[in-house]
Amino acid sequence: MTPTPAVGKDTMHQNPQPLTTTTVTVSYAGGGERRGPVTMGQANMIRCILRDDPTHINIHDVWPVPEGTTSAAVTDALRALAVRHEGLRTTFPHPPGAAPVDQVVAAEGTFTVTVLDHAGLPGDPAGYAESVARAARSGRFALEREFPVRITLLTVAGQPAYVAMAFSHAVADGSAMAILREEFAELLAGKELPGLTSLPPVDLADVEASPAGLRKSEASLRYWERILRTGPQEMFAEPRGRRPGTDEEARQLTLRSRRGGRALAGAARRTGHPEATVLMAAWCALVAHRAGQDSCVTAVPSANRFHARVARSVTTTSQDALLHLDVRVETFDALVARTWGAVLNAYRHSQFDSVRLWEMIDRVTAERGSHFGRDVVFNDVSALPAPLLGTDAEDRDDAEQELTWGPPQALPTRLLAFTYRTAPQLHISVWAAPSVFAPEEAEGFLSGLVLLLEAAAAGDVPMEALAEVTGVRPAERGSDWLRVDGCWVSPDAVRETLGRAVGGLPVRVQVTEASGAEPYLTAYIARGETPLTPTEAHRALTALIPAAGSGVLAPHRYVLVENPPTEPDRSDAWRRLEIIEEGTGRSRQV
């Protein structure tokens, strides 16, 4: 008999108080001292570390400790990892107010381990360890001097149970934490670690600065710019949505599904494509369907470890691969075939100078009069040697289908997903912005993903049947919403935002729909005695767009008149007025 899905089950818990708290200082020595420029991934993360809330950018993991292990064995294993991996011995000296450009690897040093001893752990001990690790994320790492890992050892009557870790994202990402977790377990088991096969950060920076590395970076910037100039600026552009520039708090929703694991394997066999490709196609198909978009733009952060020289590097390679997948095909099989090439193209263009990337993003979005939103993030870590499973016990694979709610966290995206396992069950966690996904909609989205995979395992699925197959409904927009320049736009929202941008001057936004072409927007502004110019109006509008409501994109033309017509709600009345000045909006000429 099939178990009843535990839909909506809550996994929150109470934390115990430790009996004692002690701090152990651990010395390490034996590595080499080195110095060199930062890598592109480090520069990208350092930019975020200096700018963002530490709880958003720092990362964490929990490592279980086998029964019978001594505290001395734990600290010895941690010391061995610090000596083995240069990234853990790295700091980033820089003057106040400036971003680091160099990294320094220490030959020796110390780190501390905070030991929390308990009489007993709660019924969900891994969840408690997770909460300890998550709490350690608060507080910005001092890049120039602090050991980049905050370590807490949880013990019961002196017996180690878990190591709760918070990492600086400048030295580690999810893949690096998984590698360290695997090596930690092997050290505790008395195994000898193999020689390092991937480059340490200083050497990786040299490769990136080579002529071939610089050409690769330039190609990546051109690839990104094409998407930024032509793709949708928001995946979830709808009346209830909030702009990507505003964070929301979202709770973790986790799917464990043997049904999903069987369906994914079956769909991969039937289509002849790898499971990862089929899952990506299903994800993009459902996201684009739910968003009512012709394409899916999703960031794929784990994509840039596909090369052997970085596959097992303990560093941060956190640079997005940006997948832009056109879903305008007749069937799911056709989409899977298209996904393979699109993913490879995205992976090839995931190494870039992050400072130049953000300069380009700022320039392009100002010219286009938009705000590119990292709305959707899909992180498939299922292929890592030791999957990063967070608080969830790795042996909980007996669920035919289970959905559980976990703790909340601030979300700078609209939809974030981690795929931890694909066999024997599909194990995915998502964080969905409440402004776009009500709780039942988030649950329905993950359940719909399994339904799509089951249908794809049985046969080819018409793309027009996604709502019927999955139960997921597209976004609802009013009749005034329309596609402009590949984006969903609300002319009313454009008019309201532009009015605020120009200090409350009368504004009229006219939609012109030419035969066989996309509509374009013309904004009329009655400037009165103000010295406003089209360029100034465009600049003022683009400054407001990141915090404005959803569906705001700059007009193609700004037309300045002296006074509004007597019938300001009639576009033809505005068109009859004498033009003082006019200029382009979303254009390179602005």
Side-chain angles (χ1 to χ4, degrees), residues 216-229:
K216 186 178 182 68
S217 178
E218 291 296 325
S220 297
L221 292 174
R222 290 193 297 271
Y223 169 86
W224 275 69
E225 184 165 354
R226 283 195 301 273
I227 297 174
L228 292 172
R229 288 197 181 277

Side-chain angles (χ1 to χ4, degrees), residues 37 75 205 250 253 364 385 537 585:
T75 55
L253 176 62
V364 170

Side-chain angles (χ1 to χ4, degrees), residues 341-362:
V343 167
L344 289 180
N345 203 23
Y347 285 8
R348 285 201 310 269
H349 296 101
S350 60
Q351 177 186 310
F352 43 78
D353 182 327
S354 60
V355 173
R356 290 189 58 202
L357 176 75
W358 281 104
E359 289 173 349
M360 183 268 288
I361 290 175
D362 290 343

Side-chain angles (χ1 to χ4, degrees), residues 7 41 60 70 74 79 84-85 160 188 223 229 245 332 339-340 342 348-349 376 413 435 496-497 508 538 551:
V7 175
H60 71 281
T70 65
V74 170
R79 178 188 293 110
R84 175 176 170 84
H85 295 291
L188 292 184
Y223 169 86
R229 288 197 181 277
F332 182 71
T339 301
W340 173 255
R348 285 201 310 269
H349 296 101
V376 184
T413 66
S435 67
E496 189 275 331
T497 306
R508 173 73 178 179
H538 180 77

Side-chain angles (χ1 to χ4, degrees), residues 157-432:
Q159 175 65 46
Y162 293 94
V163 182
M165 326 272 286
F167 289 79
S168 165
H169 218 330
V171 303
D173 54 18
S175 299
M177 290 194 299
I179 293 163
L180 290 168
R181 175 199 276 217
E182 178 190 50
E183 293 185 347
F184 176 74
E186 290 180 348
L187 288 168
L188 292 184
K191 297 179 181 179
E192 184 176 345
L193 298 181
L196 297 174
T197 57
S198 293
L199 296 177
V202 172
D203 294 335
L204 179 58
D206 287 341
V207 171
E208 292 174 343
S210 69
L214 294 176
R215 286 194 299 271
K216 186 178 182 68
S217 178
E218 291 296 325
S220 297
L221 292 174
R222 290 193 297 271
Y223 169 86
W224 275 69
E225 184 165 354
R226 283 195 301 273
I227 297 174
L228 292 172
R229 288 197 181 277
T230 60
Q233 295 296 283
E234 303 172 80
M235 279 306 296
F236 299 108
E238 52 190 274
R240 62 177 173 169
R242 291 167 61 179
R243 287 300 304 191
T246 56
D247 290 353
E248 294 183 64
E249 191 171 80
R251 289 187 63 187
Q252 179 180 8
L253 176 62
T254 298
L255 167 77
R256 292 184 187 81
S257 174
R258 279 184 168 267
R259 283 174 49 193
R262 291 193 299 269
L264 178 57
R269 285 193 303 270
R270 192 188 63 76
T271 61
H273 285 275
E275 289 187 2
T277 303
V278 174
L279 182 59
M280 181 67 78
W283 170 263
C284 288
L286 203 57
V287 167
H289 167 71
R290 165 62 182 79
Q293 300 279 12
D294 290 338
S295 64
C296 176
V297 177
T298 183
V300 191
S302 59
N304 42 17
R305 281 186 178 265
F306 66 98
H307 197 287
R309 66 171 173 250
V310 292
R312 292 187 63 85
S313 289
V314 173
T315 184
T316 184
T317 62
S318 290
Q319 294 186 279
D320 287 343
L322 189 66
L323 175 63
H324 185 204
L325 182 62
D326 190 333
V327 299
R328 290 174 294 182
V329 291
E330 291 188 1
T331 69
F332 182 71
D333 284 9
L335 184 65
V336 173
R338 176 177 288 184
T339 301
W340 173 255
V343 167
L344 289 180
N345 203 23
Y347 285 8
R348 285 201 310 269
H349 296 101
S350 60
Q351 177 186 310
F352 43 78
D353 182 327
S354 60
V355 173
R356 290 189 58 202
L357 176 75
W358 281 104
E359 289 173 349
M360 183 268 288
I361 290 175
D362 290 343
R363 183 182 72 254
V364 170
T365 54
E367 291 167 356
R368 196 178 182 192
S370 60
H371 179 80
F372 174 71
R374 192 172 177 264
D375 266 11
V376 184
V377 180
F378 186 79
N379 220 337
D380 187 347
V381 297
S382 62
L384 295 180
L388 181 65
L389 297 178
T391 66
D392 304 307
E394 297 179 31
D395 57 357
R396 287 183 58 185
D397 61 3
D398 59 346
E400 189 66 8
Q401 182 134 321
E402 176 186 75
L403 287 167
T404 56
W405 287 97
Q409 72 177 56
L411 191 72
T413 66
R414 302 284 78 86
L415 185 63
L416 167 65
F418 273 82
T419 299
Y420 299 118
R421 305 173 76 182
T422 57
Q425 64 176 195
L426 185 61
H427 178 184
I428 299 178
S429 287
V430 301
W431 291 259

